Amino acid sequence: MRILLFSSQHYDQESFSQAAIDSGLELHFQPARLTLDTAPLGQGFAVVCAFINDELDAEVLECLASGGTRLIALRSAGYNHVDLAAAARLGLTVVRVPAYSPHAVAEHAVALILALNRRLHRAYNRTRDGDFTLHGLTGFDLHGKTVGVVGTGQIGATFARIMAGFGCRLLAYDPQPNPELLALGARYLELPELLSESRIISLHCPLTDATRHLINARSLASLQPGAMLINTGRGALVDTPALIDALKNGQLGYLGLDVYEEEAQLFFEDRSDQPLQDDVLARLLTFPNVIVTAHQAFLTQEALAAIAATTLDNVLHWAAGDARNTVTG
Ligand code: NAD
């Protein structure tokens, strides 16, 4: 069976080629992002494999279905970019990778916290420039600080375990509390209380209608002055222009983003020789207390191997009439 992988990068080729050995599956790696313009490339492929910034709206799905595609195999956990109603109407099955490595994402959130707090990004540049001064590099002990975890599923719970190891107090918000968090001593609160009581807030909930712009001008105004916000969830959990105001007036003391609302037009490509057209991102990148990474939290060897293995397993089960990890609206 032939599979077309859109948005495939060098690391996808490595992990998927390794996972496909002896599977009988024929992989075609397509570096282009899936959009209405590139969807015709799916002609004749029963299986199309897509990543998070591929477009899977009704028009694209119609084009794929008319070209013979029957299965959309997402190599991601998130599926907020898929028009599931259209997929169902067109008879397309959608499968995903519900879990690959919660450690990869949780550890990246912690990396952002440590780098921002101890200002590693500034220290790195400073020492390379022969400047060995310490002014402006003062951090704070994580021990004893209050950390708010928004979304306490697999990644949020893994993140909470790590922060408990630092000796942090844990607050949590999730419509479905996780007993594991309670065992760690976390207190579940409503979101406004969590936001006003936390020194560090980390977002680990999915993007849905209910969570879009969960962090906005109003919620930012309720933070402790100088609080730290980390978003490794999805860009649209946060109203990004509101972050700029909160950074300018000091309400937000630190910001770590691995995801950005407008990332689909930017991330995963080298644009270093072009002027950045996105003024919001450009302004964010001017703050010394902001670190932006380009959706790399998932990028560990273990996660890539697990993503490839589960995706191909999903395809084989679907082909055998036993579809697993399906996503429905
Ligand atoms: P999960 O399904 O295990 O956990 C999500 C949790 O969010 C659940 O406990 C759910 O009850 C909770 N939730 C739902 N609605 C909520 C709301 N309104 N407020 C607060 N919590 C809410 O998912 P996961 O594997 O932990 O992944 C979490 C998210 O992380 C994914 O949806 C995805 O968007 C993001 N993610 C990012 C990367 C990355 O590379 N940056 C990689 C993987 C996943």
Side-chain angles (χ1 to χ4, degrees):
M1 195 182 337
R2 295 162 76 234
I3 307 176
L4 182 64
L5 293 92
F6 278 99
S7 297
S8 52
Q9 303 278 346
H10 181 67
Y11 48 77
D12 294 312
Q13 297 199 20
E14 275 181 12
S15 56
F16 273 83
S17 300
Q18 180 66 30
I21 291 172
D22 296 333
S23 68
L25 298 170
E26 187 184 315
L27 306 181
H28 292 251
F29 296 102
Q30 173 53 253
R33 196 163 72 86
L34 174 58
T35 64
L36 194 52
D37 289 337
T38 61
L41 295 169
Q43 179 89 30
F45 286 92
V47 182
V48 160
C49 179
F51 199 45
I52 43 186
N53 288 330
D54 287 317
E55 289 176 16
L56 291 151
D57 58 21
E59 272 186 299
V60 170
L61 292 174
E62 274 159 24
C63 181
L64 291 174
S66 68
T69 299
R70 312 297 337 134
L71 176 70
I72 306 291
L74 302 174
R75 52 182 193 279
S76 62
Y79 52 88
N80 53 281
H81 55 314
V82 187
D83 185 335
L84 292 173
R89 177 167 50 77
L90 294 162
L92 287 166
T93 303
V94 181
V95 293
R96 67 175 181 132
V97 182
Y100 40 89
S101 168
H103 306 286
V105 184
E107 289 172 12
H108 191 73
V110 177
L112 288 171
I113 291 173
L114 290 170
L116 283 164
N117 176 20
R118 306 311 295 266
R119 304 178 202 266
L120 297 185
H121 53 307
R122 301 189 72 188
Y124 173 81
N125 285 326
R126 207 178 276 189
T127 53
R128 287 172 73 89
D129 200 31
D131 177 355
F132 303 107
T133 60
L134 299 182
H135 61 88
L137 302 185
T138 309
F140 59 85
D141 287 4
L142 286 173
H143 184 87
K145 296 300 181 297
T146 301
V147 175
V149 189
V150 179
T152 53
Q154 301 171 89
I155 296 170
T158 305
F159 170 79
R161 276 199 303 276
I162 300 172
M163 299 317 290
F166 277 107
C168 294
R169 272 183 69 228
L170 294 173
L171 301 180
Y173 169 68
D174 192 312
Q176 291 182 297
N178 181 343
E180 205 191 322
L181 269 277
L182 297 171
L184 287 172
R187 254 190 323 136
Y188 274 90
L189 298 176
E190 288 304 313
L191 186 62
E193 284 78 50
L194 178 146
L195 295 178
S196 64
E197 288 187 32
S198 300
R199 179 81 179 253
I200 298 170
I201 294 142
S202 194
L203 307 181
H204 300 289
C205 55
L207 176 63
T208 63
D209 288 344
T211 60
R212 186 174 297 275
H213 291 186
L214 192 79
I215 302 295
N216 51 43
R218 229 176 93 210
S219 47
L220 286 165
S222 72
L223 299 186
Q224 291 184 5
M228 181 187 294
L229 177 67
I230 304 294
N231 186 10
T232 57
R234 282 289 179 268
L237 295 175
V238 171
D239 178 4
T240 316
L243 294 175
I244 293 175
D245 294 334
L247 286 160
K248 281 165 78 175
N249 66 29
Q251 185 71 11
L252 198 54
Y254 310 81
L255 175 66
L257 298 181
D258 184 53
V259 285
Y260 174 54
E261 197 166 358
E262 305 300 331
E263 70 178 53
Q265 309 301 327
L266 291 165
F267 286 9
F268 307 135
E269 298 292 333
D270 180 2
R271 302 181 194 279
S272 57
D273 59 352
Q274 299 157 23
L276 181 55
Q277 300 296 329
D278 185 317
D279 291 350
V280 173
L281 183 61
R283 181 68 178 97
L284 272 183
L285 293 172
T286 66
F287 292 99
N289 50 351
V290 172
I291 297 181
V292 177
T293 53
H295 210 136
Q296 70 174 77
F298 73 97
L299 197 65
T300 66
Q301 292 165 0
E302 292 79 1
L304 289 173
I307 288 168
T310 304
T311 303
L312 298 187
D313 198 48
N314 284 344
V315 172
L316 291 170
H317 274 99
W318 168 80
D322 175 27
R324 297 186 178 177
N325 295 324
T326 51
V327 190
T328 49

